[in-house]
Amino acid sequence: MRGMIRFFRRPYANTLIAVLVGLVVAAVVVAATGYNPFETFATLLYGAFGKPKYLANVIIKSTPILLTGVAVSFAFKTGLFNIGAEGQYIAGTICATMVGVLCDFPAIIQVPLVVLAGIVGGALLGAFIGFLKARLGIHEVITSIMTNWIMLYLCNFVVQSNTFHNPNSNTALPIHAQSYTMILPQWKMSDEGIAYLVQRPWLRDILLKTDLNLGFVVAVLVAILVSVLLAKTKLGYELRAVGYNKDAAQFSGIGVERSVVLCMLISGAICGLAGALNITGISPHTLATLGAQEGYGFNGLAVAFIAGCSALGCIPASILFAGLVYGGMTVQQIVGVPSEVINIMIGTIVFFTALPGMAPKVARWLEKRSKRNDSKNADVTQGEA
């Protein structure tokens, strides 16, 4: 009993309970529609991690939502709700594509330049939202939602512009090959590379059948840096202090307006980095006309909540989210279960994760029950004596 009480008091207990409840709800829905829940979950697990190329694709899909999740978590820890991660992500893709098309330098210059362009695009948009919040008092939720749509239509405008439009298509021109961040892009397509990979089927599946790139490594490093920034630095302390109590922070000499703008700038920069890495790391390495939001920012919001707004917690949360989405496609193809079941599971997990008091309440209930049992045992012992 004491072990269970300690478990439910852990910060990760709420997330584990939410995942378990999500699986149970999904199992009930699957059974109600006439499918076998055990076969469905086995296929889901196989579709996400059953082959090297499946695992590689899960990692690829988790990269942008890991970064947007870290961005949302960072803003939330400093008292801001960055629901505009989607727009900042699109801003990053726009700037990275424009620079990748217009510039043609050697890779050692081109790659940092294109990635930096994406970071700057997201950072400027985030800083603009922060400025409106700090100086004019306009809530960041309102402005960030509006900028999501502004960036969507700006993306479409750039795609259709004379400078960037790819003729006879609904996409912009692809960035130059020197901008790619894929792993060994030239070598794996050479005769030498193909001859080497033929002898190693697992590596061939990863390198030739996926767009495995350096994005996930960068995303993990960013998550670690953000965690250190918030927990170990003076700047992180000031930003968290503003999030906890603006009046007290201002009284202690912390520049509240500067902190709000800086927080949104950093959050936007991380989202812009996600957009840039998607352009440089995944085919077709360009923009396409958007009919709706791509969802990377909103999925990052879900990942942030699953992780309890912990930057490091976003790493496993993003892999879980990407695994459910990617494995869900296999479930639909093999078992025939509708993909909406996976969305129900994800929604249930996020819903219960958003109830942070659930695990502590269970811990208190178990503690009271343990005390009552101890009291009854003591009374029985005294009576026998």
PDB file of all heavy atoms in Angstrom, residues 73-103:
ATOM      1  N   SER A  73       5.545  24.163 -23.742  1.00  0.00           N
ATOM      2  CA  SER A  73       5.879  23.917 -22.333  1.00  0.00           C
ATOM      3  C   SER A  73       6.677  25.078 -21.749  1.00  0.00           C
ATOM      4  O   SER A  73       6.426  25.517 -20.625  1.00  0.00           O
ATOM      5  CB  SER A  73       6.684  22.621 -22.208  1.00  0.00           C
ATOM      6  OG  SER A  73       5.947  21.512 -22.653  1.00  0.00           O
ATOM      7  N   PHE A  74       7.639  25.576 -22.522  1.00  0.00           N
ATOM      8  CA  PHE A  74       8.456  26.701 -22.063  1.00  0.00           C
ATOM      9  C   PHE A  74       7.592  27.928 -21.781  1.00  0.00           C
ATOM     10  O   PHE A  74       7.715  28.566 -20.731  1.00  0.00           O
ATOM     11  CB  PHE A  74       9.514  27.028 -23.110  1.00  0.00           C
ATOM     12  CG  PHE A  74      10.322  28.254 -22.808  1.00  0.00           C
ATOM     13  CD1 PHE A  74      11.355  28.204 -21.900  1.00  0.00           C
ATOM     14  CD2 PHE A  74      10.037  29.462 -23.422  1.00  0.00           C
ATOM     15  CE1 PHE A  74      12.102  29.344 -21.598  1.00  0.00           C
ATOM     16  CE2 PHE A  74      10.765  30.599 -23.140  1.00  0.00           C
ATOM     17  CZ  PHE A  74      11.810  30.541 -22.220  1.00  0.00           C
ATOM     18  N   ALA A  75       6.705  28.240 -22.711  1.00  0.00           N
ATOM     19  CA  ALA A  75       5.831  29.394 -22.520  1.00  0.00           C
ATOM     20  C   ALA A  75       4.913  29.192 -21.322  1.00  0.00           C
ATOM     21  O   ALA A  75       4.686  30.116 -20.530  1.00  0.00           O
ATOM     22  CB  ALA A  75       5.008  29.643 -23.785  1.00  0.00           C
ATOM     23  N   PHE A  76       4.387  27.992 -21.168  1.00  0.00           N
ATOM     24  CA  PHE A  76       3.462  27.708 -20.065  1.00  0.00           C
ATOM     25  C   PHE A  76       4.158  27.851 -18.720  1.00  0.00           C
ATOM     26  O   PHE A  76       3.565  28.351 -17.756  1.00  0.00           O
ATOM     27  CB  PHE A  76       2.891  26.298 -20.221  1.00  0.00           C
ATOM     28  CG  PHE A  76       1.707  26.025 -19.347  1.00  0.00           C
ATOM     29  CD1 PHE A  76       0.439  26.437 -19.736  1.00  0.00           C
ATOM     30  CD2 PHE A  76       1.852  25.359 -18.141  1.00  0.00           C
ATOM     31  CE1 PHE A  76      -0.664  26.201 -18.922  1.00  0.00           C
ATOM     32  CE2 PHE A  76       0.767  25.109 -17.329  1.00  0.00           C
ATOM     33  CZ  PHE A  76      -0.499  25.535 -17.717  1.00  0.00           C
ATOM     34  N   LYS A  77       5.401  27.418 -18.641  1.00  0.00           N
ATOM     35  CA  LYS A  77       6.158  27.528 -17.392  1.00  0.00           C
ATOM     36  C   LYS A  77       6.411  28.983 -17.010  1.00  0.00           C
ATOM     37  O   LYS A  77       6.667  29.281 -15.843  1.00  0.00           O
ATOM     38  CB  LYS A  77       7.501  26.809 -17.537  1.00  0.00           C
ATOM     39  CG  LYS A  77       7.407  25.294 -17.538  1.00  0.00           C
ATOM     40  CD  LYS A  77       7.060  24.741 -16.181  1.00  0.00           C
ATOM     41  CE  LYS A  77       7.143  23.217 -16.157  1.00  0.00           C
ATOM     42  NZ  LYS A  77       6.776  22.659 -14.845  1.00  0.00           N
ATOM     43  N   THR A  78       6.360  29.865 -17.987  1.00  0.00           N
ATOM     44  CA  THR A  78       6.584  31.287 -17.705  1.00  0.00           C
ATOM     45  C   THR A  78       5.276  32.082 -17.705  1.00  0.00           C
ATOM     46  O   THR A  78       5.290  33.307 -17.830  1.00  0.00           O
ATOM     47  CB  THR A  78       7.555  31.884 -18.747  1.00  0.00           C
ATOM     48  OG1 THR A  78       7.022  31.694 -20.058  1.00  0.00           O
ATOM     49  CG2 THR A  78       8.910  31.200 -18.663  1.00  0.00           C
ATOM     50  N   GLY A  79       4.153  31.368 -17.606  1.00  0.00           N
ATOM     51  CA  GLY A  79       2.861  32.032 -17.441  1.00  0.00           C
ATOM     52  C   GLY A  79       2.168  32.433 -18.720  1.00  0.00           C
ATOM     53  O   GLY A  79       1.217  33.223 -18.685  1.00  0.00           O
ATOM     54  N   LEU A  80       2.610  31.921 -19.874  1.00  0.00           N
ATOM     55  CA  LEU A  80       2.001  32.275 -21.153  1.00  0.00           C
ATOM     56  C   LEU A  80       1.477  31.024 -21.854  1.00  0.00           C
ATOM     57  O   LEU A  80       2.055  29.938 -21.715  1.00  0.00           O
ATOM     58  CB  LEU A  80       3.020  32.985 -22.053  1.00  0.00           C
ATOM     59  CG  LEU A  80       3.529  34.336 -21.538  1.00  0.00           C
ATOM     60  CD1 LEU A  80       4.706  34.808 -22.380  1.00  0.00           C
ATOM     61  CD2 LEU A  80       2.429  35.372 -21.545  1.00  0.00           C
ATOM     62  N   PHE A  81       0.416  31.183 -22.601  1.00  0.00           N
ATOM     63  CA  PHE A  81      -0.205  30.059 -23.312  1.00  0.00           C
ATOM     64  C   PHE A  81       0.002  30.286 -24.798  1.00  0.00           C
ATOM     65  O   PHE A  81      -0.773  30.990 -25.446  1.00  0.00           O
ATOM     66  CB  PHE A  81      -1.681  29.973 -22.965  1.00  0.00           C
ATOM     67  CG  PHE A  81      -2.354  28.721 -23.462  1.00  0.00           C
ATOM     68  CD1 PHE A  81      -1.625  27.569 -23.702  1.00  0.00           C
ATOM     69  CD2 PHE A  81      -3.709  28.699 -23.681  1.00  0.00           C
ATOM     70  CE1 PHE A  81      -2.233  26.415 -24.148  1.00  0.00           C
ATOM     71  CE2 PHE A  81      -4.352  27.544 -24.139  1.00  0.00           C
ATOM     72  CZ  PHE A  81      -3.604  26.403 -24.365  1.00  0.00           C
ATOM     73  N   ASN A  82       1.043  29.667 -25.341  1.00  0.00           N
ATOM     74  CA  ASN A  82       1.394  29.861 -26.750  1.00  0.00           C
ATOM     75  C   ASN A  82       0.608  28.891 -27.621  1.00  0.00           C
ATOM     76  O   ASN A  82       1.109  27.838 -28.025  1.00  0.00           O
ATOM     77  CB  ASN A  82       2.895  29.670 -26.956  1.00  0.00           C
ATOM     78  CG  ASN A  82       3.309  29.970 -28.379  1.00  0.00           C
ATOM     79  OD1 ASN A  82       2.537  30.543 -29.158  1.00  0.00           O
ATOM     80  ND2 ASN A  82       4.524  29.595 -28.741  1.00  0.00           N
ATOM     81  N   ILE A  83      -0.632  29.239 -27.928  1.00  0.00           N
ATOM     82  CA  ILE A  83      -1.439  28.403 -28.811  1.00  0.00           C
ATOM     83  C   ILE A  83      -1.142  28.721 -30.280  1.00  0.00           C
ATOM     84  O   ILE A  83      -1.723  28.125 -31.183  1.00  0.00           O
ATOM     85  CB  ILE A  83      -2.946  28.604 -28.493  1.00  0.00           C
ATOM     86  CG1 ILE A  83      -3.765  27.396 -28.979  1.00  0.00           C
ATOM     87  CG2 ILE A  83      -3.462  29.896 -29.094  1.00  0.00           C
ATOM     88  CD1 ILE A  83      -5.206  27.422 -28.533  1.00  0.00           C
ATOM     89  N   GLY A  84      -0.213  29.640 -30.504  1.00  0.00           N
ATOM     90  CA  GLY A  84       0.180  30.023 -31.860  1.00  0.00           C
ATOM     91  C   GLY A  84       1.399  29.276 -32.367  1.00  0.00           C
ATOM     92  O   GLY A  84       2.035  29.718 -33.327  1.00  0.00           O
ATOM     93  N   ALA A  85       1.729  28.139 -31.738  1.00  0.00           N
ATOM     94  CA  ALA A  85       2.890  27.366 -32.190  1.00  0.00           C
ATOM     95  C   ALA A  85       2.751  26.945 -33.645  1.00  0.00           C
ATOM     96  O   ALA A  85       3.743  26.868 -34.377  1.00  0.00           O
ATOM     97  CB  ALA A  85       3.075  26.139 -31.293  1.00  0.00           C
ATOM     98  N   GLU A  86       1.511  26.700 -34.069  1.00  0.00           N
ATOM     99  CA  GLU A  86       1.265  26.311 -35.466  1.00  0.00           C
ATOM    100  C   GLU A  86       1.703  27.411 -36.421  1.00  0.00           C
ATOM    101  O   GLU A  86       2.407  27.160 -37.418  1.00  0.00           O
ATOM    102  CB  GLU A  86      -0.212  25.997 -35.666  1.00  0.00           C
ATOM    103  CG  GLU A  86      -0.580  25.538 -37.061  1.00  0.00           C
ATOM    104  CD  GLU A  86      -0.179  24.102 -37.340  1.00  0.00           C
ATOM    105  OE1 GLU A  86       0.073  23.360 -36.378  1.00  0.00           O
ATOM    106  OE2 GLU A  86      -0.099  23.733 -38.522  1.00  0.00           O
ATOM    107  N   GLY A  87       1.303  28.647 -36.140  1.00  0.00           N
ATOM    108  CA  GLY A  87       1.668  29.764 -36.999  1.00  0.00           C
ATOM    109  C   GLY A  87       3.159  30.024 -36.988  1.00  0.00           C
ATOM    110  O   GLY A  87       3.758  30.346 -38.034  1.00  0.00           O
ATOM    111  N   GLN A  88       3.797  29.883 -35.834  1.00  0.00           N
ATOM    112  CA  GLN A  88       5.238  30.093 -35.736  1.00  0.00           C
ATOM    113  C   GLN A  88       6.000  28.992 -36.465  1.00  0.00           C
ATOM    114  O   GLN A  88       7.059  29.235 -37.050  1.00  0.00           O
ATOM    115  CB  GLN A  88       5.631  30.177 -34.266  1.00  0.00           C
ATOM    116  CG  GLN A  88       5.073  31.408 -33.574  1.00  0.00           C
ATOM    117  CD  GLN A  88       4.740  31.176 -32.121  1.00  0.00           C
ATOM    118  OE1 GLN A  88       5.359  30.341 -31.453  1.00  0.00           O
ATOM    119  NE2 GLN A  88       3.761  31.917 -31.599  1.00  0.00           N
ATOM    120  N   TYR A  89       5.452  27.789 -36.432  1.00  0.00           N
ATOM    121  CA  TYR A  89       6.038  26.689 -37.218  1.00  0.00           C
ATOM    122  C   TYR A  89       5.968  27.011 -38.715  1.00  0.00           C
ATOM    123  O   TYR A  89       6.961  26.843 -39.440  1.00  0.00           O
ATOM    124  CB  TYR A  89       5.292  25.387 -36.909  1.00  0.00           C
ATOM    125  CG  TYR A  89       5.551  24.287 -37.909  1.00  0.00           C
ATOM    126  CD1 TYR A  89       6.643  23.442 -37.755  1.00  0.00           C
ATOM    127  CD2 TYR A  89       4.717  24.096 -39.010  1.00  0.00           C
ATOM    128  CE1 TYR A  89       6.894  22.434 -38.685  1.00  0.00           C
ATOM    129  CE2 TYR A  89       4.963  23.101 -39.935  1.00  0.00           C
ATOM    130  CZ  TYR A  89       6.042  22.271 -39.769  1.00  0.00           C
ATOM    131  OH  TYR A  89       6.290  21.286 -40.683  1.00  0.00           O
ATOM    132  N   ILE A  90       4.801  27.478 -39.171  1.00  0.00           N
ATOM    133  CA  ILE A  90       4.649  27.811 -40.600  1.00  0.00           C
ATOM    134  C   ILE A  90       5.577  28.963 -40.975  1.00  0.00           C
ATOM    135  O   ILE A  90       6.174  28.965 -42.056  1.00  0.00           O
ATOM    136  CB  ILE A  90       3.184  28.169 -40.912  1.00  0.00           C
ATOM    137  CG1 ILE A  90       2.280  26.960 -40.679  1.00  0.00           C
ATOM    138  CG2 ILE A  90       3.034  28.638 -42.357  1.00  0.00           C
ATOM    139  CD1 ILE A  90       0.795  27.254 -40.829  1.00  0.00           C
ATOM    140  N   ALA A  91       5.717  29.948 -40.080  1.00  0.00           N
ATOM    141  CA  ALA A  91       6.644  31.056 -40.343  1.00  0.00           C
ATOM    142  C   ALA A  91       8.059  30.531 -40.548  1.00  0.00           C
ATOM    143  O   ALA A  91       8.801  31.013 -41.422  1.00  0.00           O
ATOM    144  CB  ALA A  91       6.602  32.054 -39.190  1.00  0.00           C
ATOM    145  N   GLY A  92       8.439  29.527 -39.753  1.00  0.00           N
ATOM    146  CA  GLY A  92       9.760  28.922 -39.913  1.00  0.00           C
ATOM    147  C   GLY A  92       9.919  28.239 -41.256  1.00  0.00           C
ATOM    148  O   GLY A  92      10.971  28.346 -41.902  1.00  0.00           O
ATOM    149  N   THR A  93       8.865  27.535 -41.703  1.00  0.00           N
ATOM    150  CA  THR A  93       8.945  26.862 -43.012  1.00  0.00           C
ATOM    151  C   THR A  93       9.037  27.876 -44.144  1.00  0.00           C
ATOM    152  O   THR A  93       9.761  27.662 -45.116  1.00  0.00           O
ATOM    153  CB  THR A  93       7.730  25.944 -43.232  1.00  0.00           C
ATOM    154  OG1 THR A  93       6.526  26.729 -43.267  1.00  0.00           O
ATOM    155  CG2 THR A  93       7.609  24.894 -42.143  1.00  0.00           C
ATOM    156  N   ILE A  94       8.297  28.980 -44.018  1.00  0.00           N
ATOM    157  CA  ILE A  94       8.313  30.007 -45.072  1.00  0.00           C
ATOM    158  C   ILE A  94       9.707  30.612 -45.210  1.00  0.00           C
ATOM    159  O   ILE A  94      10.275  30.679 -46.313  1.00  0.00           O
ATOM    160  CB  ILE A  94       7.281  31.104 -44.776  1.00  0.00           C
ATOM    161  CG1 ILE A  94       5.860  30.541 -44.852  1.00  0.00           C
ATOM    162  CG2 ILE A  94       7.434  32.276 -45.748  1.00  0.00           C
ATOM    163  CD1 ILE A  94       4.793  31.507 -44.359  1.00  0.00           C
ATOM    164  N   CYS A  95      10.269  31.050 -44.089  1.00  0.00           N
ATOM    165  CA  CYS A  95      11.579  31.711 -44.135  1.00  0.00           C
ATOM    166  C   CYS A  95      12.680  30.751 -44.573  1.00  0.00           C
ATOM    167  O   CYS A  95      13.573  31.122 -45.352  1.00  0.00           O
ATOM    168  CB  CYS A  95      11.902  32.300 -42.757  1.00  0.00           C
ATOM    169  SG  CYS A  95      10.825  33.666 -42.275  1.00  0.00           S
ATOM    170  N   ALA A  96      12.616  29.500 -44.082  1.00  0.00           N
ATOM    171  CA  ALA A  96      13.629  28.523 -44.475  1.00  0.00           C
ATOM    172  C   ALA A  96      13.560  28.230 -45.967  1.00  0.00           C
ATOM    173  O   ALA A  96      14.603  28.131 -46.645  1.00  0.00           O
ATOM    174  CB  ALA A  96      13.438  27.234 -43.675  1.00  0.00           C
ATOM    175  N   THR A  97      12.364  28.111 -46.513  1.00  0.00           N
ATOM    176  CA  THR A  97      12.209  27.839 -47.946  1.00  0.00           C
ATOM    177  C   THR A  97      12.702  29.010 -48.786  1.00  0.00           C
ATOM    178  O   THR A  97      13.417  28.816 -49.788  1.00  0.00           O
ATOM    179  CB  THR A  97      10.738  27.535 -48.272  1.00  0.00           C
ATOM    180  OG1 THR A  97      10.310  26.398 -47.534  1.00  0.00           O
ATOM    181  CG2 THR A  97      10.548  27.269 -49.752  1.00  0.00           C
ATOM    182  N   MET A  98      12.325  30.216 -48.393  1.00  0.00           N
ATOM    183  CA  MET A  98      12.745  31.382 -49.170  1.00  0.00           C
ATOM    184  C   MET A  98      14.262  31.498 -49.213  1.00  0.00           C
ATOM    185  O   MET A  98      14.853  31.714 -50.280  1.00  0.00           O
ATOM    186  CB  MET A  98      12.115  32.646 -48.569  1.00  0.00           C
ATOM    187  CG  MET A  98      10.603  32.706 -48.714  1.00  0.00           C
ATOM    188  SD  MET A  98       9.855  34.083 -47.819  1.00  0.00           S
ATOM    189  CE  MET A  98      10.485  35.479 -48.749  1.00  0.00           C
ATOM    190  N   VAL A  99      14.917  31.336 -48.073  1.00  0.00           N
ATOM    191  CA  VAL A  99      16.373  31.436 -48.042  1.00  0.00           C
ATOM    192  C   VAL A  99      16.999  30.250 -48.752  1.00  0.00           C
ATOM    193  O   VAL A  99      17.997  30.399 -49.482  1.00  0.00           O
ATOM    194  CB  VAL A  99      16.873  31.520 -46.581  1.00  0.00           C
ATOM    195  CG1 VAL A  99      18.398  31.429 -46.518  1.00  0.00           C
ATOM    196  CG2 VAL A  99      16.408  32.822 -45.934  1.00  0.00           C
ATOM    197  N   GLY A 100      16.428  29.061 -48.599  1.00  0.00           N
ATOM    198  CA  GLY A 100      16.969  27.872 -49.259  1.00  0.00           C
ATOM    199  C   GLY A 100      16.870  27.923 -50.766  1.00  0.00           C
ATOM    200  O   GLY A 100      17.686  27.310 -51.470  1.00  0.00           O
ATOM    201  N   VAL A 101      15.878  28.643 -51.287  1.00  0.00           N
ATOM    202  CA  VAL A 101      15.726  28.795 -52.736  1.00  0.00           C
ATOM    203  C   VAL A 101      16.628  29.901 -53.271  1.00  0.00           C
ATOM    204  O   VAL A 101      17.279  29.749 -54.321  1.00  0.00           O
ATOM    205  CB  VAL A 101      14.252  29.072 -53.095  1.00  0.00           C
ATOM    206  CG1 VAL A 101      14.112  29.468 -54.564  1.00  0.00           C
ATOM    207  CG2 VAL A 101      13.383  27.859 -52.794  1.00  0.00           C
ATOM    208  N   LEU A 102      16.685  31.024 -52.561  1.00  0.00           N
ATOM    209  CA  LEU A 102      17.423  32.187 -53.055  1.00  0.00           C
ATOM    210  C   LEU A 102      18.921  32.062 -52.880  1.00  0.00           C
ATOM    211  O   LEU A 102      19.697  32.647 -53.652  1.00  0.00           O
ATOM    212  CB  LEU A 102      16.918  33.453 -52.339  1.00  0.00           C
ATOM    213  CG  LEU A 102      15.460  33.845 -52.607  1.00  0.00           C
ATOM    214  CD1 LEU A 102      15.068  35.047 -51.754  1.00  0.00           C
ATOM    215  CD2 LEU A 102      15.244  34.147 -54.087  1.00  0.00           C
ATOM    216  N   CYS A 103      19.368  31.337 -51.867  1.00  0.00           N
ATOM    217  CA  CYS A 103      20.797  31.221 -51.579  1.00  0.00           C
ATOM    218  C   CYS A 103      21.314  29.858 -52.049  1.00  0.00           C
ATOM    219  O   CYS A 103      20.611  28.847 -51.959  1.00  0.00           O
ATOM    220  CB  CYS A 103      21.070  31.385 -50.088  1.00  0.00           C
ATOM    221  SG  CYS A 103      20.581  33.002 -49.439  1.00  0.00           S
TER     222      CYS A 103
END
